[in-house]
Amino acid sequence: MSFRLHTAKPKLALWMLVAAADVVLLVASLGLMTMLLAIAGVATVAVAAAGTWMLLRRGVPERRVPARVAVPVSNRRRM
């Protein structure tokens, strides 16, 4: 059996609830339209970054593993 502190998981859950409440308060204070514009801006930046990364990645040649070459066994005389 493994030993776990009883206070480890509930603290994380509590902070996640606090973060969710902060988001709700932020939307209520800024207004829904401002929050939607902020989300649209973040999405635009994310799409632009992903597109740039894909375009830069496209120029990189794929790594090819060299083919194995059969090496002949030397012909030694047994003594």
Side-chain angles (χ1 to χ4, degrees), residues 5-70:
L5 292 175
H6 292 287
T7 59
K9 295 289 180 177
K11 284 183 183 177
L12 178 64
L14 178 64
W15 283 111
M16 294 303 289
L17 284 173
V18 169
D22 287 344
V23 169
V24 169
L25 289 174
L26 187 64
V27 169
S29 65
L30 293 178
L32 185 60
M33 192 61 180
T34 306
M35 197 55 140
L36 289 176
L37 286 174
I39 291 172
V42 169
T44 303
V45 170
V47 168
T52 304
W53 179 75
M54 288 174 68
L55 284 175
L56 290 175
R57 181 96 173 124
R58 199 169 98 186
V60 176
E62 61 182 59
R63 297 178 185 174
R64 296 186 181 185
V65 178
R68 289 187 163 196
V69 178

